[in-house]
Every structure is written in C-alpha cells, then in structure tokens.
Amino acid sequence: MRKAVITGSTKGIGFALARELLRRGHSVVVTGRARTAVDEAVERLRPEAADGAAVHGHALDVTDAAQVEALWTAAVDALGGVDLWINNAGVAHTTRPITETTPDDVRTMVTTNMLGTVYGSQVAVRGMRAAGGGQVFNVLGGGSDGRIRPGMGVYSATKRGLDSFTSALVKEVAGTGVRVGRVSPGILITDGWLREAAAAPEQVAGQRRILNILCDHVDEVAPHLVARMLASTRNGDAIAWLTTARMTRKFLLPRKEDVLARYGL
C-alpha cells in the first residue's frame, strides 16, 4: 500500500488521481485551500477506498512554506509515513494576453504554480530522504514544452519554469532513495478549464472541432496516469497522456463523442 499526498486535490485531475489511488487500495491525503472543500472531497472519496485504504484531508495554502511543512507532518501522522507526493496544485488564467493579465492573476499563478511546487518538493524530498525513500511527481501543463499558445503567456512561463526546476531536482536526488518525475496530463476538461471556456466562448466555438479531438475527461485519463506512477521505478521518469502517438491516433481516428456536449458547451 502506498501512502500518498496530492496537493490541489479537491476537484479536477487531483481529485481523480486521489480516487484512482484509493480504488487501487492506496491511502491518500487530499488538500485544498478551503476547509469546506477538503471535507466535501473526503466525504465523496471515502466510499471509493478499497482494501483498507484510508483518505484524510488537510487544508492549506501551498504558497506558505510553513503550511506545506505542516502538511508533511500531518500526513505522516495520519498515514504512518509518506512515500508518494504529487505536486498538483495550480491555477490557470489563459484567456488574456500578457499585458492584459491582472496583477492579482499574475501573482496567483506565479505563487501557486511555482512556489507551491517548489515548497512541496523541498518538504517531500527532505522527509523522504530521512525516511529512506519515496517518489515525488510534479504535474506540468500547457507551455512546459516551450510551445507558445495565445493567452497562456504567464501560465506557460510558470509551467516551463517547473519543467526546468524538475530537471534540476532529478539530478540533485540521483543516488538517493528518492525519485522525482514529471506528469503531463494533456488537455483535460476540469472546473478550471470550464471557467476559462466561459470567459472566452467565441474561442471555444472557433476551436470546437480541435478541442473535441484533443480534450479528454479526467476520469478517462486518471487511471492511466496512476498506473504509470505506481509502476515507475526510474528517477526522472516522464509520464504523459497526450503523447505524439496518441495525438496522431486522435486525428486519424476521431471519436464520435461530442466531448464538450457533456458540459453544455
């Protein structure tokens, strides 16, 4: 049984990863900023736990290093240790050019995406080294590959930076009992994605055909990502859903389902 912490896991892909781990008999601590959201997520996840697995919740702000340190302590107390830590907490504002992105949105993306992952990695690696080993996965996103996409300038910069940060951390943990990897989940329809879509309906309408080919539901992708993370034995492992091969298949054999229709789009 693995003992996992997933930041930003009260909804979206973080929630789906927690659910999949629990279904496979692994214990999880889910986290979010709001206590009410954390409690609700725990209640929804508890029936999913199999084979003696347990789910616990912890509310925190990942941009506060002291709170992230407290999360490690709370998770160790609740689970008896932590050997899998997934830095998933992130915020995306992707409908405005860089010059029109508000200072508050810039600050939120930079601090949550960058500081949250850096602090989470520091705490997890230190704790795992002391305990004898474990795995840390950083969830990346659009722009981490260096490609420029309209409206995603600030967000993409944070994810590109996290790719570089993860590469550096992989080298630093080499030869220890800790392994570090990256996860690229692809284009997933989450609450955040729907919020951005609502802010730019004309953009969604203009790209509907492409979006229906490339977008996926979190409940379809999470089992693949979890299986790959659990099977990973290599430091520096890179786990991706929307690989070149899968993208090619999507265009050659388009699905008949209207992916966006499920969400009223």
Side-chain angles (χ1 to χ4, degrees):
M1 177 188 290
R2 303 296 295 272
K3 301 169 182 178
V5 171
I6 308 175
T7 66
S9 46
T10 60
K11 56 187 177 182
I13 186 60
F15 181 89
L17 293 175
R19 181 178 59 202
E20 190 62 27
L21 282 166
L22 287 164
R23 286 174 174 175
R24 293 169 185 249
H26 305 286
S27 293
V28 182
V29 172
V30 296
T31 79
R33 282 179 178 265
R35 181 76 252 175
T36 53
V38 171
D39 291 343
E40 289 172 3
V42 170
E43 288 305 309
R44 291 171 59 199
L45 288 168
R46 190 166 283 132
E48 304 285 350
D51 301 327
V55 57
H56 302 271
H58 188 89
L60 82 156
D61 178 354
V62 296
T63 70
D64 185 322
Q67 291 188 43
V68 179
E69 190 72 53
L71 168 60
W72 172 270
T73 301
V76 170
D77 289 345
L79 304 179
V82 174
D83 56 17
L84 176 61
W85 182 290
I86 303 172
N87 286 306
N88 173 69
V91 176
H93 296 288
T94 60
T95 61
R96 296 179 180 177
I98 293 170
T99 55
E100 296 176 18
T101 304
T102 68
D104 284 345
D105 286 348
V106 170
R107 183 179 300 106
T108 299
M109 283 188 282
V110 171
T111 57
T112 304
N113 300 354
M114 291 293 295
L115 292 183
T117 299
V118 172
Y119 291 156
S121 297
Q122 288 179 319
V123 165
V125 169
R126 285 196 297 258
M128 289 176 183
R129 275 179 171 167
Q135 284 182 301
V136 177
F137 284 101
N138 293 335
V139 177
L140 304 184
S144 61
D145 56 3
R147 296 180 184 178
I148 306 302
R149 298 170 174 83
M152 295 177 62
V154 177
Y155 173 78
S156 293
T158 66
K159 292 301 183 176
R160 184 64 167 168
L162 288 180
D163 182 64
S164 176
F165 167 78
T166 303
S167 294
L169 191 60
V170 166
K171 290 186 176 182
E172 289 190 6
V173 302
T176 72
V178 181
R179 300 189 301 277
V180 172
R182 48 172 59 76
V183 176
S184 299
I187 306 173
L188 304 181
I189 302 179
T190 63
D191 290 344
W193 191 95
L194 291 171
R195 181 199 66 231
E196 295 296 284
E202 69 290 339
Q203 184 174 330
V204 173
Q207 299 178 354
R208 187 178 187 87
R209 176 181 172 276
I210 298 298
L211 291 173
N212 264 319
I213 293 173
L214 294 179
C215 287
D216 289 290
H217 309 299
V218 292
D219 52 358
E220 295 174 345
V221 175
H224 171 83
L225 298 180
V226 167
R228 288 285 308 278
M229 282 189 277
L230 293 175
S232 174
T233 59
R234 184 176 66 89
N235 184 39
D237 207 1
I239 298 170
W241 168 256
L242 197 56
T243 60
T244 300
R246 181 171 276 113
M247 190 180 302
T248 300
R249 288 196 299 271
K250 281 174 171 284
F251 278 99
L252 292 176
L253 301 169
R255 67 183 114 190
K256 296 180 180 179
E257 175 196 8
D258 186 338
V259 178
L260 305 185
R262 180 191 291 189
Y263 309 94
L265 298 175

